[in-house]
Amino acid sequence: MDLETGFYENRLKKESWRTVLTLAYQSLGVVYGDLSTSPLYVYTSTFADDIKHSETNEEVYGVLSFIFWTLTLIPLLKYVFIVLKADDNGEGGTFALYSLLCRHAKVNSLPNSQLADEELSTYKKNDINIPAQTNFGAKIKSILERHRVLQRLLLVLSLGGASMVIGDGILTPAISDIEVPVACVVLIALFALQHYGTHRVGFMFAPIVVTWLLCISGIGLYNIIHWNPTVYRALSPYYVYKFLKKTRKGGWMSLGGILLCITGNYIAVQKQCLLILDTSPSCQLSVEEISLQEENISDWSPCNLIHIAFTSLVYPSLVLAYMGQAAYLSRHHVMENDYQIGFYVSVPDKLRWPVLVIAVLAAVVASQAAITGTFSIIKQCCALGCFPRVKIVHTSSKIHGQVYIPEINWTLMILCLSVTIGFRDAKRLGNAAGLAVITVMLVTTCLMSLVIVLCWHQNVLLAVCFVIFFGTIEALYFSASLIRFFEGAWVPIAISLVFMIVMCIWHYGSLKKYEFDVQNKVSIDWLLSVGPSLGIVRVRGIGLIYTELVSGIPAIFPHFVTNFPAFHQVLVFICVKSVPIPHVRHEERFLVGHIGPREHHLYRCIVRYGYRDARKDDLQFENDLVCSIAEFIRTGKRRLNGNAAEDLSKDLEDMTVLGTPNTHISGVQLYEDNELNSESVGTSKLREMHTTHKTKPKKRVRFFIPESPKIERNAREELRELMEASEAGIAYILGHSYVCAKQGSSFLKRIVINFGYDFLTRSSRPPCYALTVPHASTIEVGMVYHV
């Protein structure tokens, strides 16, 4: 056994290293494209109108000093060494910081949260070595939890940052130095490639980024040695002071151009690839192997990959590139046009055309980084109930979080083409992108200060110093970008405002709809009064009643009962919910419990997903659900039974945490006739449970249960009832709701609900699509929600 374990350990270590190197390679093509292409336009934008290059070189040295310290303080110090430490189990970005805050304080925007969610293994995974919370931190937490206004402000702040990332995802692909017709063709081709998936695009683009970084660092080193070896002196912050003292207002306004040197660094935080492989049976790994693999990979988090890649390759290459351009400009003082201070003029003549080709390809890669970040943001927003339902395609079966969203992809393409054709000016697009970038950074600074106090339990003075230091720097850049509002900076504000309005309307409407469900739910006492038959005919089969409630009976159920004369012999009230963590482990996926006495055959099942988890297809989900309920019946972990009427009146149910069948291989297994073979059950210590059929079933389903411990007679009968119902088929019952503002509502509320939310509901995907429910087995029950 030890030899076999050692073999698995060696094999999984090799696979984990291969996975780490693969993801590190892909990250160069997906994460760093935008940041690595900034040398193409920083000097051009900085020296455009506000300052001119004099023969004393004070302006060139000042700009270089500004660029160096901006790169060092913001991407390197703030993001790589501080913000990346606040990753949410490998995820980054404004929503990752928001989800961290939701888990450490009761400011969650998801209304159906439960105490059981806090028991998830990854809920507070990073809190092991965190000190106790300070008194002042406890006061801040209490204030946030008591005031709904502050909670909404926190949500709006996070949505604002997310909207600006989407705005930058539109602007970045539009920024290029090539002609407009060619740029449009390149954009169309780029968006047409997105359906192949991030992992394929990453492999395609990673060599381009590596070649580009080596190219600009080599050219920079050549220019330093050939033109001005003493240019390193400009790295002193003293030249920043001299630059501002000489240029004054013009130097301050030029900061909008210098800001472009850090465009895309927040994408590195937003788009982090997870290293945990999919634990589906297709991976052909046992549970023990999977846990061992996760343990081997855990030391190599995405933060480590980004940290190593940035400090060892990206950061030195960018510094050498900017120093090389400054060295060239310090020896060439005649500047009659923008081209003479651009990047290409500093490239040796023999290399100019090859470098131009690589630069164009690198600009395409930069666009890919922004597009990927936009997909990631939309996926998180949908999971947290802040964006209308869209089609989300998971392009990789092994790497979580790699998604493609067709509606967003083509919308981005149309907006990018419109911006490219409408502006026809890279400088104005640069102004717009700069404002989007610095706004996201300011939002990150605000959220990060709360994370320091509420999540890391550090002294509030540390958070104040963080805000003052980085907030001052970013506020300086923000003011310089905002002054260019009418020169293109209005574009990201307009785009982000539209997306933010959509997010706020959808979240508000969804919240009001949930509150209506809570106020109109039916108590469990009603079930006790109608008896086991529920007052109607019970027919064979399983009925899955979808609801957002985690307790009580939804109003859709009595509404359905009054319109149909029969119902299924087994009823499952199922709630598919998102929790504020990236991923829920498979062994913690389901919460299962009884509703009412056992003879009612009513169950509640809560299916929990993280905001980055992929939803399974309907057939796999059906098998997992039925097996989880069967395992719940077999283990007998219940409190509610026919003799516990006093507990039922309290509308409470004990829920048991259960995983998917592959996580409890010693438990109940479900097989259909076409799945039965000697390899599937011949080596297992399981015995088959049979059913007696009066009529021929639609399909033969068999339960294989462990030989020990023996289950009681009532549980055996309950399992047989569940198996017969499963053979008869499964029906999906969903509420088809029409939401309208109740009488007496304010004018603004009527506009938001009756027009805004109604339009978004009609324009988005139906609920059955988001839940991967088969249309042929779906029953929709119409209801009017007066909110």
Side-chain angles (χ1 to χ4, degrees):
M1 185 65 182
D2 292 338
L3 182 62
E4 183 180 359
T5 303
F7 169 76
Y8 281 138
E9 288 182 356
N10 291 332
R11 180 166 70 91
L12 291 175
K13 284 181 179 179
K14 291 180 181 179
E15 290 182 358
S16 64
W17 271 101
R18 188 181 300 114
T19 303
V20 168
L21 294 176
T22 299
L23 291 173
Y25 178 76
Q26 289 185 28
S27 69
L28 289 171
V30 177
V31 174
Y32 295 110
D34 194 4
L35 185 62
S36 64
T37 56
S38 55
L40 289 172
Y41 41 75
V42 169
Y43 279 102
T44 303
S45 300
T46 304
F47 288 99
D49 300 313
D50 304 306
I51 58 174
K52 299 299 180 182
H53 182 187
S54 64
E55 296 186 2
T56 59
N57 290 326
E58 290 184 357
E59 294 84 0
V60 173
Y61 290 161
V63 170
L64 174 61
S65 186
F66 251 113
I67 292 174
F68 173 77
W69 286 107
T70 303
L71 276 173
T72 302
L73 294 177
I74 304 297
L76 185 63
L77 179 60
K78 177 188 172 182
Y79 279 92
V80 174
F81 286 104
I82 300 178
V83 176
L84 282 180
K85 302 298 181 182
D87 70 304
D88 186 11
N89 295 295
E91 298 297 326
T94 54
F95 262 106
L97 296 177
Y98 178 71
S99 67
L100 280 176
L101 294 172
C102 289
R103 299 207 301 270
H104 289 81
K106 295 179 181 179
V107 295
N108 192 1
S109 62
L110 299 174
N112 54 0
S113 58
Q114 297 172 280
L115 291 176
D117 299 337
E118 300 180 12
E119 298 176 1
L120 292 169
S121 57
T122 56
Y123 198 87
K124 294 186 179 180
K125 181 179 178 181
N126 300 326
D127 293 359
I128 300 176
N129 299 319
I130 292 178
Q133 192 172 42
T134 62
N135 293 332
F136 196 85
K139 292 181 180 178
I140 295 178
K141 178 181 177 181
S142 177
I143 293 173
L144 281 175
E145 292 177 346
R146 288 200 315 265
H147 295 84
R148 293 285 297 174
V149 175
L150 295 178
Q151 297 174 21
R152 291 168 182 166
L153 180 62
L154 190 63
L155 176 63
V156 169
L157 189 66
S158 303
L159 293 179
S163 301
M164 279 295 181
V165 174
I166 297 173
D168 185 69
I170 295 171
L171 293 170
T172 299
I175 302 177
S176 65
D177 291 332
I178 56 180
E179 296 181 0
V180 173
V182 179
C184 293
V185 173
V186 171
L187 285 175
I188 294 174
L190 176 64
F191 283 102
L193 287 174
Q194 295 304 311
H195 71 280
Y196 288 108
T198 303
H199 60 294
R200 294 184 177 90
V201 175
F203 268 113
M204 186 189 307
F205 287 163
I208 299 175
V209 176
V210 173
T211 304
W212 172 250
L213 289 173
L214 294 176
C215 177
I216 62 175
S217 59
I219 293 173
L221 189 62
Y222 167 80
N223 286 331
I224 293 171
I225 297 174
H226 184 72
W227 296 111
N228 188 356
T230 63
V231 74
Y232 68 89
R233 297 176 182 176
L235 302 183
S236 169
Y238 173 70
Y239 285 91
V240 171
Y241 166 75
K242 291 184 65 177
F243 174 78
L244 292 177
K245 182 179 179 180
K246 181 177 181 179
T247 57
R248 298 183 182 275
K249 182 180 178 181
W252 166 67
M253 296 182 67
S254 69
L255 294 181
I258 297 175
L259 173 64
L260 297 179
C261 73
I262 53 175
T263 54
N265 79 86
Y266 64 92
I267 293 291
V269 182
Q270 174 59 46
K271 184 58 185 173
Q272 299 179 16
C273 300
L274 285 189
L275 302 181
I276 306 301
L277 291 180
D278 193 348
T279 56
S280 62
S282 61
C283 294
Q284 299 179 352
L285 295 176
S286 66
V287 177
E288 290 79 7
E289 292 178 87
I290 292 168
S291 61
L292 180 60
Q293 188 176 41
E294 292 179 357
E295 181 180 352
N296 290 332
I297 298 177
S298 61
D299 292 334
W300 290 92
S301 68
C303 303
N304 298 127
L305 292 177
I306 292 178
H307 179 275
I308 293 172
F310 186 82
T311 55
S312 62
L313 180 61
V314 180
Y315 177 75
S317 299
L318 291 175
V319 171
L320 286 175
Y322 287 117
M323 289 178 64
Q325 289 187 66
Y328 179 87
L329 293 177
S330 66
R331 295 294 183 265
H332 298 78
H333 300 134
V334 180
M335 298 185 183
E336 298 177 355
N337 53 57
D338 293 338
Y339 176 78
Q340 291 181 294
I341 55 174
F343 170 79
Y344 300 109
V345 71
S346 64
V347 178
D349 294 337
K350 296 181 179 180
L351 300 177
R352 190 162 295 172
W353 280 106
V355 170
L356 177 62
V357 173
I358 300 175
V360 172
L361 295 176
V364 174
V365 178
S367 304
Q368 176 60 47
I371 296 170
T372 304
T374 302
F375 288 161
S376 176
I377 279 284
I378 296 297
K379 171 66 170 63
Q380 294 180 15
C381 291
C382 288
L384 295 176
C386 296
F387 200 83
R389 293 179 295 267
V390 292
K391 181 180 181 180
I392 299 176
V393 180
H394 291 263
T395 57
S396 175
S397 61
K398 292 187 175 182
I399 306 300
H400 289 286
Q402 296 189 355
V403 298
Y404 164 70
I405 306 177
E407 295 99 320
I408 301 301
N409 183 67
W410 303 121
T411 301
L412 287 178
M413 187 191 74
I414 294 173
L415 292 175
C416 282
L417 291 175
S418 301
V419 170
T420 303
I421 298 173
F423 273 78
R424 300 173 179 264
D425 188 355
K427 293 180 183 177
R428 298 177 67 188
L429 288 173
N431 295 335
L435 183 60
V437 168
I438 198 61
T439 303
V440 178
M441 292 179 181
L442 282 171
V443 171
T444 302
T445 300
C446 296
L447 295 177
M448 191 64 204
S449 63
L450 292 175
V451 169
I452 292 174
V453 176
L454 299 180
C455 303
W456 293 353
H457 298 171
Q458 298 297 322
N459 194 296
V460 69
L461 292 177
L462 184 62
V464 172
C465 292
F466 180 86
V467 171
I468 292 176
F469 183 75
F470 291 107
T472 302
I473 298 173
E474 291 162 0
L476 183 65
Y477 280 114
F478 181 79
S479 62
S481 299
L482 198 60
I483 203 69
R484 300 175 181 268
F485 182 84
F486 295 104
E487 299 177 18
W490 61 270
V491 175
I493 294 179
I495 294 174
S496 62
L497 186 61
V498 172
F499 276 94
M500 190 172 177
I501 290 174
V502 170
M503 292 179 182
C504 290
I505 290 177
W506 184 263
H507 179 74
Y508 178 77
S510 301
L511 188 61
K512 289 299 179 183
K513 181 182 173 183
Y514 179 81
E515 291 175 354
F516 180 89
D517 280 332
V518 172
Q519 295 169 2
N520 293 272
K521 68 180 180 180
V522 181
S523 67
I524 298 182
D525 291 332
W526 178 75
L527 285 178
L528 298 177
S529 64
V530 296
S533 66
L534 302 181
I536 56 176
V537 177
R538 303 291 289 272
V539 297
R540 296 182 66 234
I542 298 178
L544 301 183
I545 305 173
Y546 279 82
T547 175
E548 295 183 3
L549 297 178
V550 294
S551 64
I553 307 299
I556 181 182
F557 181 66
H559 186 69
F560 186 90
V561 168
T562 56
N563 289 277
F564 286 82
F567 217 87
H568 303 84
Q569 67 185 106
V570 174
L571 298 178
V572 182
F573 292 92
I574 182 168
C575 173
V576 180
K577 58 178 288 188
S578 295
V579 291
I581 58 175
H583 300 279
V584 176
R585 297 172 66 91
H586 289 272
E587 55 266 29
E588 301 172 322
R589 178 75 66 202
F590 296 98
L591 278 173
V592 183
H594 268 116
I595 299 180
R598 175 182 290 174
E599 58 267 21
H600 281 61
H601 300 297
L602 262 66
Y603 306 90
R604 183 182 308 284
C605 182
I606 299 173
V607 189
R608 300 178 292 185
Y609 290 97
Y611 58 78
R612 300 275 286 174
D613 279 330
R615 306 287 176 91
K616 292 187 176 181
D617 57 48
D618 53 287
L619 294 178
Q620 182 65 42
F621 178 76
E622 285 181 7
N623 291 337
D624 290 352
L625 177 65
V626 173
C627 276
S628 298
I629 296 175
E631 181 66 12
F632 166 75
I633 297 172
R634 183 189 72 86
T635 55
K637 294 180 180 179
R638 67 180 65 81
R639 179 192 62 173
L640 301 180
N641 50 53
N643 300 321
E646 65 276 5
D647 289 332
L648 291 172
S649 62
K650 297 179 182 178
D651 197 19
L652 296 173
E653 305 125 22
D654 270 347
M655 308 291 287
T656 300
V657 178
L658 293 168
T660 52
N662 63 321
T663 63
H664 49 80
I665 54 177
S666 60
V668 177
Q669 301 294 316
L670 181 147
Y671 295 95
E672 296 184 12
D673 277 347
N674 58 354
E675 296 175 331
L676 292 174
N677 54 62
S678 58
E679 295 181 359
S680 61
V681 297
T683 59
S684 303
K685 295 182 179 179
L686 304 173
R687 68 173 182 271
E688 182 180 353
M689 175 178 284
H690 298 274
T691 58
T692 58
H693 300 282
K694 297 180 179 179
T695 59
K696 185 178 180 181
K698 294 182 179 179
K699 60 180 179 180
R700 284 297 304 273
V701 176
R702 304 183 190 180
F703 282 156
F704 288 84
I705 61 176
E707 294 183 354
S708 63
K710 292 184 177 180
I711 59 176
E712 59 183 18
R713 180 180 178 181
N714 291 337
R716 182 178 296 276
E717 293 299 323
E718 196 174 355
L719 277 173
R720 185 171 283 109
E721 187 83 11
L722 178 64
M723 184 163 53
E724 291 178 356
S726 180
E727 288 181 340
I730 297 178
Y732 298 80
I733 297 94
L734 287 79
H736 185 81
S737 59
Y738 176 74
V739 182
C740 61
K742 61 184 177 182
Q743 191 174 4
S745 300
S746 64
F747 176 75
L748 180 60
K749 183 177 181 179
R750 292 200 302 269
I751 292 295
V752 170
I753 296 296
N754 296 345
F755 294 96
Y757 186 74
D758 180 67
F759 172 77
L760 294 177
T761 302
R762 296 175 184 272
S763 304
S764 62
R765 301 272 179 169
C768 60
Y769 185 90
L771 297 170
T772 63
V773 172
H775 292 279
S777 304
T778 301
I779 302 173
E780 290 189 328
V781 182
M783 280 192 65
V784 178
Y785 283 59
H786 295 281
V787 299

